[in-house]
């Protein structure tokens, strides 16, 4: 089965070459969905001037070369090509799609190694709502790439190293390991940090101990390293509770925090300096990537080693680039990180290319994540102005979902499963349905709604189709067709579904999960129209009509469930 728009692009390009010469074979036919036909090609309008012919004349020449076309082509207006595919072609392709376990989704050949840096909470602080979007978007990109056959290497770049750990370890010793572990596992990392910071600022002896502890930590002292592991293990156990609740695919094996790169930092600096990529400037070791200037128009430095000998984020990120290219053999590296880090990553990538660590054969991309806003249009925070704890927000989503389905006739366990799926699906879908680099307003009332482009609406659409099969006494896998499209609503749904495979490829390449959400929402909307206008299992529907409509229902269900799974949105059997 083939995406209609892709088929038409190839056919029109062949016609262009036949009509005007091979040099025009790669012209964009400018094919778009149309209200006057299935699709409209506007290429004649753009080519006319170059060919010194009228647009309509160019369009007529293209139409003449589209012999054997599976449908009709008409020239409209000044030179538009209105294209209508034959019902038989759509039915045939939909039937092939139904029989295909992958629903027309291809695989990338040769497969790529894609490294995805996402989530990355700071172990010294609470996991807050700022980590939600990077986690959700990154996990969806990992799922999409794996579905296309790429080898995905997840990298959870935890903030797990640095000077704050001196005071954190000393505070752990002061309150005792057992109490510290209990507090960290309970998700009270911010409270733990604040208590340590207060002592650091107000107690000179504690400050001295903390600074000494930083030195022993950096030197690899066994007892200090043991305490660091106690702290980190408890913190990671809490992170895993959040990941489990969200249903993301990150595991402990994916942790690649700042501590992992610590042994590489000195060599990173030495190699950059020896190669000439980095130079000493005002006592600091800096790379000056070309094209970056400050407000004073002076070259902007990427500081690799501070004047006091300390390392910063740039040092770690440069080491990470080299590791991911050289050791992980990456073809593509995706950094799913806040948009406010855009300049930093542009400079890191440019510096890595200067050093020869990031060759032209490897793509490094910053998948920018926009800010989450409250209903007031400001950064999403508590009423007291603090960052909202992520677990608190997720639990509220589940509590609200529980209230929304309170009237359903289910046992307590089933209701709990559905509420968890609806709550997490609502949060994740609301995030993924907007462009990742856009700011978006976090609004429980809207995202938990059962109408509109929301997670619960999408989940309900799949549950409704499953209920049709329960009434029919048939497993969806047993609906084999054939698919026939005699009604307008059937045809519109069938034609739309054919675009699924190509869309998945485009969404993965462009890192745009919101386009998959838009496709799935349109799928659910078209199905709703079909369901209203085309009875499936009602009394009076003959067996042949019932069978072909159940086949279309089965195809729709598989597209919705596959698409939602690639987004990481859970799909409950019932709603």
């Amino acid at each position: 089965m083939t995406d209609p728009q892709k088929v038409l692009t190839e056919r029109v390009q062949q016609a262009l070459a036949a009509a005007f010469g091979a040099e025009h074979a790669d012209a964009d036919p400018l094919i778009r969905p149309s209200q006057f036909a299935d699709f409209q090609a506007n290429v004649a309008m753009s080519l006319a001037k170059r060919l010194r012919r009228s647009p309509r004349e160019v369009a007529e020449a293209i139409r003449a070369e589209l012999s054997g076309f599976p449908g009709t082509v008409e020239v409209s207006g000044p030179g538009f090509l209105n294209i209508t595919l034959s019902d038989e072609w759509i039915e045939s392709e939909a039937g092939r799609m139904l029989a295909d376990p992958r629903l027309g989704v291809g695989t990338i050949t040769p497969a790529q190694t894609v490294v995805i840096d996402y989530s990355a909470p700071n172990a010294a602080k609470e996991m807050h709502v700022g980590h939600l979007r990077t986690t959700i978007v990154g996990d969806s990109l990992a799922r999409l790439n794996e579905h296309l056959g790429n080898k995905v290497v997840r990298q959870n770049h935890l903030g797990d190293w640095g000077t704050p750990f001196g005071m954190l370890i000393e505070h752990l010793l002061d309150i005792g390991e057992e109490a510290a572990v209990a507090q960290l596992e309970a998700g009270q990392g911010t409270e733990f940090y604040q208590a340590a910071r207060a002592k650091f600022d107000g107690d000179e002896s504690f400050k001295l101990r903390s600074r000494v502890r930083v030195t022993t930590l950096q030197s690899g002292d066994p007892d200090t390293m043991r305490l660091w592991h106690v702290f980190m293990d408890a913190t990671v156990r809490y992170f895993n509770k959040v990941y489990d609740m969200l249903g993301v695919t990150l595991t402990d094996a994916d942790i690649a925090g700042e501590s992992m790169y610590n042994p590489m930092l000195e060599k990173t600096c030495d190699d950059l300096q020896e190669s000439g990529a980095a130079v000493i400037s005002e006592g600091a070791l800096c790379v000056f990537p070309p094209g970056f200037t400050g407000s004073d128009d002076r070259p902007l430095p990427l500081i690799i080693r501070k004047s006091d000998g300390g390392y910063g984020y740039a040092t770690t990120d440069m080491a990470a680039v080299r590791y991911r290219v050289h050791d992980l053999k990456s073809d593509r590296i995706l950094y799913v990180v806040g948009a406010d880090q855009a300049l930093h990553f542009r400079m890191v990538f440019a510096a890595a290319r200067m050093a020869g660590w990031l060759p032209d054969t490897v793509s490094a991309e910053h998948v920018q994540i926009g800010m989450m806003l409250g209903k007031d249009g400001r950064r999403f925070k508590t009423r007291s102005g603090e960052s909202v704890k992520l677990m608190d927000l997720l639990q509220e989503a589940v509590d609200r979902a529980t209230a929304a389905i309170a009237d359903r006739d289910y046992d307590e366990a089933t209701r709990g499963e559905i509420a968890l799926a609806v709550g997490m699906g609502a949060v994740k879908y609301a995030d993924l349905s907007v462009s990742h680099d856009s700011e978006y307003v976090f609004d429980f009332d809207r995202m938990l709604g059962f109408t509109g482009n929301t997670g619960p609406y999408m989940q309900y659409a799949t549950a409704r189709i499953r209920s049709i099969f329960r009434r029919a006494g048939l497993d969806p896998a047993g609906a084999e067709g054939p698919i026939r499209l005699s009604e307008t609503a059937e045809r519109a749904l069938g034609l739309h579904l054919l675009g699924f495979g190509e869309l998945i490829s485009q969404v993965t390449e462009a890192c745009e999960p919101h386009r998959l959400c838009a496709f799935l929402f349109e799928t659910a909307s078209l199905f709703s129209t079909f369901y209203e206008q085309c009875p499936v299992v009602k009394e009076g529907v003959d067996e042949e009509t019932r069978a072909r409509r159940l086949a279309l229902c089965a195809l729709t269900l598989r597209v919705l469930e596959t698409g939602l799974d690639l987004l990481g949105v859970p799909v409950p059997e019932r709603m």
Side-chain angles (χ1 to χ4, degrees), residues 513-529:
H514 69 280
R515 290 180 55 198
L516 176 54
C517 292
F519 180 91
L520 296 177
F521 177 59
E522 187 173 356
T523 301
S525 300
L526 288 169
F527 180 82
S528 182
T529 302

Side-chain angles (χ1 to χ4, degrees), residues 213-333:
R213 184 65 67 178
V214 170
T215 302
T216 60
L217 177 66
Q218 291 175 341
S219 67
D221 170 68
D223 186 54
T224 302
M225 291 303 299
R226 185 191 71 79
L227 294 168
W228 177 82
H229 279 293
V230 169
F231 180 94
M232 283 306 307
D233 290 349
T235 302
V236 168
R237 283 194 290 274
Y238 172 69
F239 289 165
N240 286 338
K241 292 177 186 177
V242 176
Y243 293 146
D244 288 345
M245 192 169 186
L246 269 174
V248 297
T249 55
L250 283 169
T251 68
D252 288 358
D254 303 318
I255 293 174
E258 293 172 354
S259 62
M260 172 180 155
Y261 300 103
N262 192 55
M264 309 176 195
L265 301 187
E266 183 176 356
K267 182 171 174 54
T268 296
C269 294
D270 291 344
D271 289 352
L272 286 170
Q273 190 167 10
E274 287 176 14
S275 70
V279 296
I280 299 296
S281 176
E282 298 181 17
L285 182 65
C286 305
V287 178
F288 289 90
F292 294 91
T293 56
S295 57
D296 56 0
D297 291 330
R298 296 176 61 188
L300 199 61
L302 183 70
I303 301 175
I304 305 299
R305 187 178 59 224
K306 302 173 187 177
S307 57
D308 63 3
Y311 305 123
Y313 290 127
T315 329
T316 304
D317 284 334
M318 287 293 288
V321 168
R322 182 155 67 166
Y323 171 78
R324 290 164 180 178
V325 173
H326 184 268
D327 295 79
L328 298 181
K329 310 297 184 187
S330 58
D331 298 296
R332 188 182 191 190
I333 312 173

Side-chain angles (χ1 to χ4, degrees), residues 472-500:
L474 178 68
D475 188 299
E480 299 177 349
I483 291 178
R484 295 289 179 265
L485 308 170
S486 60
E487 300 293 332
T488 301
E490 291 175 309
R491 187 183 185 282
L493 177 58
L495 177 61
H496 173 74
L497 292 172
L498 294 183
F500 182 66

Side-chain angles (χ1 to χ4, degrees), residues 119-133:
S119 192
N122 190 334
K125 302 283 184 70
E126 168 62 68
M127 195 172 182
H128 58 78
V129 296
H131 301 111
L132 179 64
R133 299 199 73 190

